[in-house]
Amino acid sequence: MVGSYPSSGSEFMPLPFRPRHTEFRNREGNSEFSFVLPRRNRAQGTSAFVRAKDEASKIEYCLRSILPVFDEIHVIDNGSRDDTAEIVRHLQRSGDAGEKICLHSYPFRVGRFGPEHDGTPADSLHSLVYFTNWALSRCTRRYACKWDADMVLTRERRGAFAGMLSRLGRGWPAAWSFVGQTVYRTPDGSFLAPRGEVNREVRLAPCDYRVRFHKREHWEQLIRPRWLRTHHFAPVCFYELKFLDEEEFDHWSTMDFPSARKRREWATFQRLRGGGAGGADMRAVRRLPATFLDEQVGLARPPGSGGGRPDRSPRGERPADERPARKRALKRWMPGFLGIGATRAGTSWVAAQLSRHPQIRMDRKEIHFFDRKLGALAPSGSARDRFNQIRYLARFVRARRGGGRGTRRGGRIRGEITPAYAILEPAVIRRVAEWMPDSRLIFMMRDPIDRAWSQARNGFPRWRGKPLESVSRDELVSFFNSDPVRRRSDYATCLRAWFEHFPREQFFFGFLDEIRERPEDVMRDLLGFLEAKVVVADAESLEKPVNASAPVPMPGWVREHLEREYAFDADEVSELVGRQVPWSR
């Protein structure tokens, strides 16, 4: 018994029964490339699927790095014109490990990221979404991992990564995000790792038709049901390779990149390709030896190929970008995380739990620096701007748990939580990104209507000195219609403003509903995201509400008003955060 994928390209509508698998058909009517996704693969283990097109220079490094850890690897060749397929076949013949590799051909031209993708129906053979889900359907194990052909699993994390994979399937199903460092190879064979180009993405999830790729603007995205929590494997576990003598961005149909992450990569690529490994606007660059990539996968270096000392220029001098500088010193001391919202969505509970952690160093909750104390923005890099940074850092000098460098020093992680930051003006968000580009952002949410009512229940008695029962109808309407209150419930607008300056991989999305249902899981996921030791409080502390509002029932007219005025699109928020939000109807 199967369901069917609508030919219009809209999302698959769940049937009233639970089919064993779901069939997907393409609008071109090519039955050879129709496919099914199961409700659950029964075979234990983890599959990896690798989409490849003209990746001859990278595919061997990619596959050799992951051969020891995955149970099977499916390489999908998308019409390569170089030796990609032949290199894969050579690895298949190379020994027992080669038996893990399956080579498939997907011969259709696929719309590139950006406008081409936007204009291609999701159920077309030429759609990136259809192609990726077709690749996913090749996997036969309980879990599936999207691994790109330019990714190399780090040698240092290979054992821990394999251990994590071996434990999958023992508990409640979960998705996993991984962290990668971008590494650039120069034409002379050396490698550069720019500080700050560290990105996180959900790549591993149960192989289940409810966990698949959906079309979103500019690219495809893995969407998973809200009951599927996300774990975070940390720290950096793979290198993302970009070779300066190749066209690394030809899979985009525009150079007007929609994400801050891609714009940053493009700027770095062009700067390095032009010979600029320094410059005032370039983050510190860590130099890697010429043998770096071969060492990651255990390949012998060809005789006479040279080499180099790590983190040094050919003359043994420290690169200019790594010389001490006041600006970089200030950035190194900046917080490793910010809680930016949303108000009345569990941020006090999160702050209470994090403040008890032995590795985390926080000032009091809601220091309101960027929304109240920053003042008029000074020119970036000016003396006044540096003075403002010092004023901000002084908050953490006074904070509990002494000693600690920016993100980490002596086991300390600095951070602050001020929910009002969710609605900062774009210019201020840009300044936050300039000061702390690597900071991780915590964004908590709840039903927008319940959030607004909770803010009223808390705000009127606390800030206006009057019980909610004595507040007139006109006062409540004026409160709910005020711009600050309304904007705090418009999560999609808040997130889009922050996404302009921070990649999605640097965000942790949590929900008050999950705190109430499974607080221990929320804390484990959050601590993993912050790369802190997983030390979770006892059940009594986790289940105790923090800064809860007075339990005043919501009048019917208030709900009617808010449902009419706060009709924010829950599906839009689900698409932005990559999972279904609890209040989605």
Side-chain angles (χ1 to χ4, degrees):
M1 183 180 297
V2 299
S4 62
Y5 192 75
S7 60
S8 64
S10 60
E11 297 295 343
F12 174 75
M13 299 299 292
L15 300 176
F17 50 83
R18 297 180 66 187
R20 297 178 62 180
H21 61 269
T22 302
E23 183 177 356
F24 293 79
R25 302 187 181 97
N26 53 76
R27 62 172 51 213
E28 289 83 3
N30 187 330
S31 59
E32 183 181 354
F33 283 87
S34 296
F35 63 93
V36 297
L37 290 176
R39 184 163 63 88
R40 187 182 70 167
N41 280 338
R42 298 189 179 276
Q44 284 286 359
T46 308
S47 306
F49 66 92
V50 181
R51 303 168 303 173
K53 181 175 182 179
D54 298 333
E55 297 285 3
S57 60
K58 305 185 183 81
I59 191 68
E60 183 173 3
Y61 294 109
C62 166
L63 297 180
R64 286 188 182 276
S65 73
I66 61 176
L67 270 172
V69 299
F70 289 110
D71 296 292
E72 63 175 16
I73 302 172
H74 295 273
V75 180
I76 295 86
D77 180 48
N78 183 214
S80 295
R81 294 164 294 180
D82 60 10
D83 294 331
T84 299
E86 184 54 40
I87 293 172
V88 176
R89 294 189 189 99
H90 174 74
L91 286 174
Q92 286 179 309
R93 299 189 296 265
S94 63
D96 295 338
E99 295 178 0
K100 292 183 178 182
I101 302 175
C102 299
L103 178 62
H104 310 271
S105 175
Y106 191 86
F108 309 101
R109 184 184 183 279
V110 175
R112 297 174 294 171
F113 295 122
E116 281 189 13
H117 167 76
D118 297 341
T120 306
D123 61 343
S124 170
L125 288 169
H126 305 287
S127 166
L128 182 63
V129 176
Y130 194 91
F131 172 36
T132 306
N133 283 323
W134 186 88
L136 177 63
S137 73
R138 308 298 96 183
C139 300
T140 65
R141 300 303 179 109
R142 185 78 55 91
Y143 277 78
C145 177
K146 180 171 78 76
W147 196 269
D148 293 341
D150 60 357
M151 290 167 49
V152 173
L153 183 64
T154 68
R155 182 184 57 185
E156 296 80 6
R157 302 296 295 170
R158 197 165 297 154
F161 192 87
M164 179 271 293
L165 294 182
S166 68
R167 294 188 293 272
L168 294 177
R170 297 183 184 177
W172 188 257
W176 286 81
S177 72
F178 306 143
V179 184
Q181 164 75 60
T182 306
V183 171
Y184 296 85
R185 190 189 71 179
T186 63
D188 64 5
S190 61
F191 292 89
L192 304 173
R195 178 182 176 274
E197 289 203 16
V198 177
N199 304 298
R200 180 184 291 275
E201 182 178 344
V202 175
R203 291 185 170 275
L204 176 67
C207 197
D208 182 323
Y209 67 73
R210 294 165 294 184
V211 186
R212 64 180 187 272
F213 294 86
H214 292 239
K215 183 175 182 177
R216 61 161 299 162
E217 188 178 11
H218 305 309
W219 51 72
E220 89 289 10
Q221 184 174 8
L222 183 68
I223 301 294
R224 37 225 203 269
R226 70 180 184 90
W227 52 261
L228 187 71
R229 66 178 186 268
T230 301
H231 296 311
H232 305 280
F233 186 85
V236 170
C237 71
F238 69 87
Y239 296 113
E240 183 177 352
L241 304 177
K242 293 192 182 301
F243 292 174
L244 298 179
D245 53 356
E246 297 183 7
E247 296 301 326
E248 294 287 1
F249 295 86
D250 57 0
H251 57 291
W252 280 86
S253 57
T254 178
M255 293 296 105
D256 184 17
F257 299 110
S259 71
R261 168 187 170 183
K262 196 55 61 177
R263 290 194 295 270
R264 180 174 58 182
E265 289 179 355
W266 170 253
T268 303
F269 185 84
Q270 295 300 322
R271 190 177 302 116
L272 293 176
R273 175 179 268 189
D281 60 343
M282 182 66 180
R283 297 183 180 88
V285 173
R286 183 163 58 99
R287 294 183 182 271
L288 303 171
T291 57
F292 149 75
L293 196 51
D294 297 322
E295 292 169 353
Q296 292 299 316
V297 298
L299 287 177
R301 186 71 176 174
S305 59
R309 298 174 60 193
D311 303 318
R312 292 292 185 269
S313 63
R315 295 183 179 179
E317 299 174 354
R318 189 177 185 86
D321 290 322
E322 295 184 1
R323 293 169 185 160
R326 184 179 301 176
K327 295 179 183 179
R328 289 191 291 276
L330 289 175
K331 286 186 178 181
R332 284 197 297 269
W333 284 88
M334 285 294 172
F337 70 89
L338 292 178
I340 62 172
T343 303
R344 311 304 304 164
T347 54
S348 295
W349 181 89
V350 170
Q353 303 304 323
L354 292 180
S355 65
R356 300 189 187 106
H357 195 282
Q359 285 181 285
I360 292 176
R361 184 181 182 197
M362 294 176 59
D363 197 351
R364 62 180 177 81
K365 181 174 179 281
E366 301 194 35
I367 65 177
H368 288 285
F369 183 85
F370 290 104
D371 60 322
R372 297 180 186 175
K373 301 179 176 67
L374 178 61
L377 288 176
S380 179
S382 65
R384 179 66 183 177
D385 185 52
R386 291 195 297 274
F387 177 70
N388 283 335
Q389 294 183 50
I390 294 171
R391 288 176 54 225
Y392 182 54
L393 289 173
R395 293 284 180 176
F396 300 94
V397 173
R398 296 193 298 267
R400 65 186 291 276
R401 305 190 192 283
R405 168 188 170 184
T407 53
R408 188 179 294 272
R409 182 178 180 181
R412 308 300 181 194
I413 305 172
R414 299 178 178 213
E416 64 136 323
I417 296 178
T418 304
Y421 292 169
I423 58 172
L424 289 177
E425 294 301 316
V428 181
I429 298 175
R430 185 184 306 112
R431 186 56 49 89
V432 174
E434 291 173 357
W435 286 12
M436 51 191 91
D438 305 327
S439 183
R440 302 190 179 182
L441 307 174
I442 303 170
F443 195 87
M444 305 298 297
M445 289 170 275
R446 69 188 292 187
D447 185 309
I449 293 175
D450 293 340
R451 193 218 64 76
W453 177 242
S454 177
Q455 188 175 355
R457 295 188 345 244
N458 182 71
F460 277 97
R462 185 173 181 181
W463 304 114
R464 304 192 184 186
K466 56 196 306 186
L468 194 59
E469 294 85 349
S470 66
V471 179
S472 69
R473 181 167 179 156
D474 288 342
E475 281 183 287
L476 274 176
V477 170
S478 176
F479 174 81
F480 291 130
N481 290 350
S482 64
D483 186 61
V485 176
R486 179 182 173 84
R487 288 172 62 198
R488 281 171 165 82
S489 285
D490 188 0
Y491 306 135
T493 299
C494 294
L495 288 174
R496 282 197 298 268
W498 281 88
F499 285 168
E500 283 294 314
H501 305 283
F502 289 90
R504 287 171 173 78
E505 295 77 15
Q506 289 179 219
F507 284 80
F508 176 90
F509 302 111
F511 302 98
L512 182 62
D513 308 68
E514 294 178 343
I515 293 177
R516 291 168 174 168
E517 295 169 4
R518 47 178 193 272
E520 183 174 348
D521 292 338
V522 173
M523 278 311 301
R524 288 183 181 276
D525 293 345
L526 179 55
L527 292 174
F529 173 75
L530 297 178
E531 298 184 23
K533 183 179 180 181
V534 178
V535 179
V536 181
D538 58 88
E540 183 178 355
S541 299
L542 289 172
E543 294 171 3
K544 183 179 179 181
V546 179
N547 195 24
S549 304
V552 180
M554 186 188 306
W557 73 265
V558 171
R559 179 166 293 279
E560 291 177 5
H561 175 81
L562 291 177
E563 286 180 347
R564 182 175 61 254
E565 298 297 326
Y566 282 45
F568 302 117
D569 190 348
D571 292 337
E572 183 180 10
V573 180
S574 298
E575 184 179 358
L576 288 172
V577 305
R579 55 191 296 205
Q580 187 178 11
V581 297
W583 63 90
S584 177
R585 298 180 176 86

